[in-house]
Amino acid sequence: MTKTPLDDFLEFIDQKHGEESWVSLYKKISKDDKSEDGILYSTLVSQNATERAMSQSSWDLMLGGGAPGFVIGSENGKEVVTYLPQSDSEYRRVVLYREFHGRKDNYFEISEEFRLFHNLYLDQKSSTYLAFDDAGDEIEVIKMTPSEIKIRKRYLRSFMAATQTNLLLYFEVTRHFTSNIHYKNDIKTDSLCVTLYSGKSYSEGFSFFARALGKKLIRCEPIEKSGIWPFTQAKSYEDFIISGDLDSPIAYSCDPDGLANYFGANPHAPHYLTPVFFKKEVMQKYYSSSDYEISDGHLSRKGSWSLRLDNNTSGYVSVFLGDLGRDLPSKEQIYWKSFNLIPDSHSISETNYQRSFLGNFYDPESAEHQFKHAFVDVQEACSKVFGWSIFLPLADKDTHFLNSIRSMLTCEQSEFDALILAVAKITIDSVNVKELRKHLDQGDESKSIVLLELFLQNLGIQNHDDFSSFLRGVQSVRSSGVAHRKGTEYDKVIAKLNIDKDNYQAEFDEILSKFVSLFKAIVKAI
């Protein structure tokens, strides 16, 4: 390329503009010392109009157009008025500039067609348009600031392929100099059309300017490259260990179309219902985010995907091989694969066996699911009999405490502390003190555990003393070691409750089971 006073800018246009991961569809160019100013803009152009557009360096349209309107022509000697969805005809703007001529502030917006094509969501706080991939993860597609609008290249190329339109990247940049500059030149290639010229500067403190005006062409790919149905890429499938041992693990693809079933398909392949086992820690990612819902035998991401799984076993979870392929997005399969276990002596739970193979209704075995089921039952029973629930509903910002309750995934002290806090928050801390005081005719001095003790006694529950001691023990663990700094008092409480600090997983399951017994006793009594 011929050397010019704007050589570095032209090199950027030629080599990088439109080729990087993010493409500037609009950008205001300026320097604080007034030595440079300019603008980048863009549009999509039809195949028919592309060669005509590239025959000259001047822009084919300006910022403020693109709105619907009428055009007047003639047909058989008569005037014909035609309505056009966009007045630019052969051009399709992705970025539109809205002008209100001083009545309101002007602003940029993204074309409705583009937003709907990719089903983009506008995050108004960050002025960012988002898409969601198969796994439900957010992807920034468009970033907007007052001085620049950038779009992720693969989403722009996808739209170009679908509409079979090419991209015109307009540019105009002016640099100012104190020394005399006289320059004029044209650059013309298959993808670049530029006019270079100079003149007297209009910027204070400078004598002359050099300006580059032109456009760059990026052609669209075939329509099959749009990546949108029916041109979506084939889903990829991971291999998972289904048998063997540590020395010779045997893995097989989870592609459901390649597995055997009860109808004679792929007789030499593993069966669709072959269980695959995973470390319990695979669930940590999902428990730690409110974006996911975990229930008895089911995991889902809101508005995205769902998976049947067996989470009623202790120490591991399992999923049928075919379900991994059918229900998990490819990137989630990769995540699960990192937790894949050798089957060894593992087996599915009785709950899963009864439900999946015998078609029976079967109560969960896991203390986690038993707790949540029993908690709902006791709330509903009290509401039905007394007109109020024994535990107050959680505030919106506290609902994560109920969702987070689970069998422990590790034996870490931090996880035990967090779960003790959660279970105390939704039970002891949420006792419906006001209604219990009225029901038991108690004064305002009575506290939550005292009221629960009296309530259990009032219901005639025989072992109410044991339940009361248990509740006080949980409250003591929370108060002495979770809500405050740990010390000798915490060690005494742990010892008094016979909690094995080396086996927090089993101990917390036992705590959940005792709560289940309490809830069931209340339901039975009322």
Side-chain angles (χ1 to χ4, degrees):
M1 184 178 294
T2 305
K3 187 169 180 61
T4 75
L6 294 162
D7 188 63
D8 58 323
F9 175 78
L10 293 174
E11 183 179 0
F12 161 75
I13 293 293
D14 185 45
Q15 300 296 323
K16 295 184 177 180
H17 190 31
E19 310 294 344
E20 298 176 303
S21 298
W22 288 90
V23 181
S24 294
L25 296 186
Y26 162 78
K27 185 176 183 179
K28 183 180 180 180
I29 301 172
S30 65
K31 287 189 176 180
D32 292 339
D33 64 0
K34 309 299 182 183
S35 64
E36 183 174 284
D37 56 78
I39 188 172
L40 304 179
Y41 192 47
S42 59
T43 189
L44 301 179
V45 61
S46 70
Q47 300 286 352
N48 293 334
T50 296
E51 300 310 318
R52 183 172 69 251
M54 289 303 294
S55 67
Q56 56 185 7
S57 59
S58 59
W59 292 16
D60 309 285
L61 45 80
M62 302 306 291
L63 282 178
F70 293 97
V71 295
I72 299 176
S74 63
E75 185 175 326
N76 298 326
K78 294 183 178 180
E79 184 178 272
V80 177
V81 179
T82 305
Y83 173 81
L84 294 178
Q86 55 182 32
S87 58
D88 294 330
S89 183
E90 298 282 1
Y91 298 90
R92 187 188 250 109
R93 301 173 192 240
V94 177
V95 174
L96 296 96
Y97 185 60
R98 304 291 308 281
E99 294 182 287
F100 302 96
H101 312 292
R103 299 291 296 172
K104 294 291 183 181
D105 291 339
N106 301 337
Y107 63 88
F108 288 94
E109 66 181 41
I110 306 302
S111 81
E112 180 182 53
E113 182 184 12
F114 186 86
R115 289 184 283 114
L116 295 178
F117 179 77
H118 286 301
N119 193 29
L120 300 182
Y121 170 80
L122 174 60
D123 184 339
Q124 295 183 343
K125 290 184 178 180
S126 63
S127 296
T128 302
Y129 283 93
L130 305 172
F132 301 90
D133 64 16
D134 291 341
D137 290 332
E138 293 180 359
I139 301 174
E140 289 184 321
V141 177
I142 300 175
K143 301 178 183 180
M144 301 180 68
T145 68
S147 61
E148 186 174 18
I149 299 174
K150 297 191 295 185
I151 184 169
R152 194 176 291 276
K153 182 177 69 173
R154 70 180 173 93
Y155 282 83
L156 178 60
R157 294 288 180 90
S158 168
F159 187 67
M160 290 167 59
T163 57
Q164 283 298 284
T165 51
N166 300 319
L167 175 64
L168 292 177
L169 295 170
Y170 299 119
F171 53 88
E172 180 182 2
V173 66
T174 304
R175 287 181 178 170
H176 303 272
F177 304 91
T178 55
S179 57
N180 291 348
I181 285 183
H182 297 285
Y183 195 87
K184 183 173 178 60
N185 189 26
D186 291 331
I187 300 173
K188 186 75 168 67
T189 67
D190 290 341
S191 61
L192 201 60
C193 186
V194 189
T195 293
L196 297 163
Y197 60 98
S198 61
K200 290 186 177 180
S201 176
Y202 50 82
S203 183
E204 185 177 352
F206 298 92
S207 303
F208 289 84
F209 71 77
R211 176 174 295 149
L213 172 69
K215 64 191 75 167
K216 178 180 180 179
L217 171 66
I218 296 179
R219 295 189 180 274
C220 66
E221 298 174 298
I223 193 171
E224 292 79 10
K225 295 288 187 178
S226 63
I228 303 296
W229 185 90
F231 304 113
T232 48
Q233 293 184 347
K235 183 177 180 178
S236 59
Y237 298 94
E238 294 298 316
D239 293 345
F240 290 92
I241 300 171
I242 58 173
S243 60
D245 53 32
L246 288 174
D247 295 324
S248 301
I250 298 174
Y252 204 87
S253 169
C254 64
D255 181 356
D257 292 334
L259 300 176
N261 59 29
Y262 292 118
F263 305 99
N266 308 304
H268 300 295
H271 198 278
Y272 183 104
L273 297 178
T274 301
V276 184
F277 300 94
F278 302 90
K279 296 177 183 177
K280 196 92 171 182
E281 289 92 326
V282 70
M283 301 299 294
Q284 184 67 58
K285 165 184 173 179
Y286 307 114
Y287 278 114
S288 62
S289 171
S290 60
D291 209 24
Y292 299 93
E293 294 181 355
I294 303 169
S295 58
D296 178 13
H298 194 255
L299 163 66
S300 64
R301 188 169 196 179
K302 297 174 185 176
S304 184
W305 54 268
S306 62
L307 175 71
R308 294 181 303 176
L309 76 166
D310 183 4
N311 54 357
N312 272 286
T313 51
S314 177
Y316 57 88
V317 297
S318 65
V319 184
F320 292 131
L321 181 61
D323 286 344
L324 286 167
R326 185 191 67 178
D327 299 331
L328 276 184
S330 299
K331 65 192 297 186
E332 288 295 319
Q333 291 178 27
I334 295 172
Y335 169 74
W336 278 73
K337 186 174 182 177
S338 65
F339 295 90
N340 197 182
L341 290 170
I342 302 292
D344 200 14
S345 58
H346 302 322
S347 62
I348 64 173
S349 67
E350 182 66 21
T351 300
N352 192 26
Y353 175 73
Q354 290 285 339
R355 293 173 180 173
S356 298
F357 293 96
L358 302 184
N360 295 329
F361 292 103
Y362 202 82
D363 290 336
E365 300 169 69
S366 167
E368 162 190 346
H369 304 308
Q370 290 177 355
F371 175 90
K372 292 179 179 178
H373 280 267
F375 181 80
V376 171
D377 289 345
V378 74
Q379 291 284 76
E380 291 178 348
C382 287
S383 295
K384 183 177 181 180
V385 174
F386 303 117
W388 43 265
S389 56
I390 190 171
F391 302 110
L392 294 171
L394 294 169
D396 288 342
K397 293 184 178 179
D398 282 339
T399 55
H400 65 92
F401 285 112
L402 177 59
N403 297 333
S404 68
I405 290 179
R406 62 180 185 270
S407 296
M408 289 181 61
L409 305 179
T410 68
C411 278
E412 296 294 329
Q413 178 75 56
S414 58
E415 186 179 8
F416 180 76
D417 289 350
L419 290 171
I420 285 291
L421 177 62
V423 78
K425 178 72 72 173
I426 69 169
T427 56
I428 298 168
D429 292 355
S430 296
V431 168
N432 196 337
V433 172
K434 180 179 178 181
E435 293 297 341
L436 280 175
R437 283 172 179 166
K438 288 195 299 183
H439 179 75
L440 298 168
D441 195 22
Q442 294 293 309
D444 294 341
E445 300 81 18
S446 300
K447 303 299 182 183
S448 60
I449 291 184
V450 173
L451 289 169
L452 273 178
E453 291 173 345
L454 293 173
F455 182 62
L456 298 178
Q457 187 175 355
N458 185 263
L459 289 176
I461 296 176
Q462 292 184 350
N463 54 341
H464 61 83
D465 288 338
D466 293 337
F467 285 127
S468 298
S469 297
F470 165 67
L471 291 171
R472 291 184 182 278
V474 173
Q475 179 68 4
S476 296
V477 172
R478 178 189 185 276
S479 300
S480 63
V482 178
H484 301 94
R485 289 171 58 88
K486 291 178 175 64
T488 55
E489 185 61 28
Y490 177 78
D491 293 331
K492 291 179 182 178
V493 170
I494 293 295
K496 183 178 180 181
L497 294 175
N498 294 319
I499 292 178
D500 181 0
K501 291 189 288 186
D502 293 327
N503 194 9
Y504 275 138
Q505 287 176 307
E507 297 294 355
F508 187 72
D509 274 355
E510 182 64 22
I511 290 172
L512 291 180
S513 296
K514 287 182 178 178
F515 269 110
V516 171
S517 298
L518 170 61
F519 298 155
K520 287 184 175 180
I522 294 173
V523 171
K524 183 178 180 180
I526 64 176

